[in-house]
Each structure stands twice: as structure tokens, then as C-alpha cells.
Amino acid sequence: MTIDNDDLLNSIMASLGRIETISLDEIPNIDLYMDQLTSFMDERLKKTTRHPGEDKILTKTMINNYAKNDLLPPPVKKKYSKDHLILLIVIYYLKSILSINDIQTLIEPLKRRFYGAEDKLDLSRIYETLYQLQEESLEPVKEDISKRYERAMQTFDDPDITDEEQKKMRLFSFITLLSYDVYVKKLLIEKILDNMTENDDKPDNKKEKKTKDKK
């Protein structure tokens, strides 16, 4: 079976358009038991997996481990709140590129300051902002992918290789371009997180944190 690179790109673009992130309005306002929570997440996020219907979104073991590692506050009377779900959705997207320690560094300030908060700025409002940013970024991402694809299709214009080999090598170029982009952005994220950790470890910040904890 021959590889049609253009058809592959069209399929990728179509799949990006079908990825549905969970809007704030879709997150239940009532507390959920574990089975209800995992069912909701499986149903709403199954399209984001590589093998829908086979890959697990969240398991009871995962959620319990998140709580043990202090990524997630423990449930109240075995029930999980809307804030729990918001944190779990954020963790789900981050865990594909970041370590558990990095995720903890990123969401710990959110969990400590805004979990269960009744201020104007709470986890719901933060999530709504993040959701809007994701919606805005989809078209630029698709445009960037198209540009990288066009560049990759210009490589290996070599008369000494067969058409089929040329198609495969151009796909290799495309994957390399996408992988390098992910690598650079992951490196940038890690540097930012390291800077956050260094700032938290400064004596003045430790004193400030202790004062807030006493209050």
C-alpha cells in the first residue's frame, strides 16, 4: 500500500478539528463518586487518545496516586468536586509532556491558593481563561503544521531513490520538524519551571509562605 502524504496531512488536520476540550459549562456542578468521575473523563476525552476505546484516560489507581503525591486534594466523603475535575483535566493534558514533579510545581500554587476558593478569581475562572487560550491557538497551530509539512515535502528531491522511498523520507523530515518543535517548547517549559522552583526556594519567599500558612 503506497503512502499518500497529502492524504495523511488532511487526515491529521481533520483529527485536530475533532479534538474537543471540555468547556467549563460541561463540567458537572455536583460532586461525583470515583466511578462517575472516571466515566465522565473517559467519555469526554476519549477522542484525545491515540487508540480511542482502548486507552484509559484516568483510572482509580491514577487518581489515588495523584492524591498520595499531593497533586490532588483528597476527596470529601469519597466525592470529588468541580475543582477536583478541573485539576484532573489540567493534569491529564500536562502528563504527556511533563514529569509528575514538574506538574506539581506548576499546579501547586493553583491548588494552594484557589482550590475551594470563593473569590472572584477561582479555579473555574482560571480554567475558563485556559480553555479560551486553547480555542484561540488551534488555527495558528494548524497553520504552523501546514508550513512545516510544505517544507518537509521539499526535501529528498533525489532522482536516485524511488518515489516510495522519497515519500517515506519526506515523512521522516516532517516528523523531525514536529519533534524538534516539541523538544524546544518542552525545554522552555522546563526552564521556566526550574526558575519557579528556584524563586520558591529563596529565603524571603519561604518566610512569606510560612507567614501565610500561619494565617
Side-chain angles (χ1 to χ4, degrees):
M1 183 176 180
T2 59
I3 300 172
D4 190 316
N5 291 346
D6 289 343
D7 285 347
L8 178 62
L9 179 67
N10 291 334
S11 176
I12 293 170
M13 291 303 190
S15 67
L16 290 176
R18 289 194 298 269
I19 293 177
E20 297 179 7
T21 51
I22 303 175
S23 68
L24 183 64
D25 293 339
E26 294 174 291
I27 300 176
N29 279 312
I30 59 172
D31 295 346
L32 303 178
Y33 286 108
M34 177 74 82
D35 288 341
Q36 294 172 312
L37 185 155
T38 55
S39 295
F40 170 78
M41 298 289 276
D42 281 341
E43 177 61 29
R44 291 299 292 109
L45 293 174
K46 61 184 177 183
K47 289 183 180 179
T48 66
T49 61
R50 185 174 184 177
H51 304 291
E54 298 178 22
D55 297 336
K56 286 290 184 181
I57 303 297
L58 281 172
T59 65
K60 294 178 182 179
T61 301
M62 289 179 191
I63 296 171
N64 288 332
N65 284 338
Y66 294 154
K68 287 179 182 177
N69 287 292
D70 206 27
L71 276 175
L72 193 72
V76 178
K77 296 180 180 179
K78 297 183 178 181
K79 286 188 174 183
Y80 295 84
S81 66
K82 186 174 186 177
D83 279 1
H84 277 114
L85 265 69
I86 289 173
L87 290 174
L88 281 169
I89 294 169
V90 173
I91 292 170
Y92 171 74
Y93 283 110
L94 292 176
K95 70 185 180 74
S96 63
I97 57 171
L98 297 178
S99 68
I100 292 298
N101 286 340
D102 282 341
I103 295 173
Q104 188 171 31
T105 299
L106 187 59
I107 69 172
E108 176 60 27
L110 297 180
K111 181 169 66 72
R112 186 173 62 243
R113 170 65 177 83
F114 299 108
Y115 176 81
E118 297 181 358
D119 303 335
K120 288 184 178 180
L121 181 60
D122 56 11
L123 279 181
S124 291
R125 185 175 172 189
I126 292 169
Y127 183 83
E128 195 168 24
T129 300
L130 298 179
Y131 179 82
Q132 182 62 38
L133 290 173
Q134 289 177 342
E135 291 285 294
E136 293 172 3
S137 67
L138 181 57
E139 286 307 315
V141 166
K142 290 170 71 173
E143 290 175 8
D144 182 65
I145 290 173
S146 293
K147 289 178 181 178
R148 293 175 189 273
Y149 174 80
E150 289 173 6
R151 177 66 187 94
M153 292 306 106
Q154 296 170 5
T155 61
F156 297 104
D157 189 12
D158 191 333
D160 293 330
I161 61 176
T162 66
D163 289 346
E164 190 62 25
E165 288 174 326
Q166 186 183 71
K167 290 176 182 178
K168 289 180 179 179
M169 293 308 299
R170 287 175 174 176
L171 279 182
F172 181 77
S173 295
F174 185 41
I175 291 170
T176 301
L177 283 172
L178 294 175
S179 299
Y180 185 71
D181 182 66
V182 173
Y183 165 75
V184 170
K185 289 176 180 176
K186 184 174 183 290
L187 189 63
L188 176 60
I189 293 169
E190 289 171 347
K191 293 295 183 183
I192 295 171
L193 289 171
D194 288 344
N195 186 65
M196 289 173 61
T197 304
E198 288 171 5
N199 286 336
D200 286 342
D201 288 339
K202 287 181 179 179
D204 289 345
N205 289 338
K206 285 184 177 180
K207 289 179 182 179
E208 184 179 345
K209 183 180 177 182
K210 286 181 180 179
T211 302
K212 288 182 179 179
D213 289 342
K214 287 180 181 179
K215 291 180 180 180

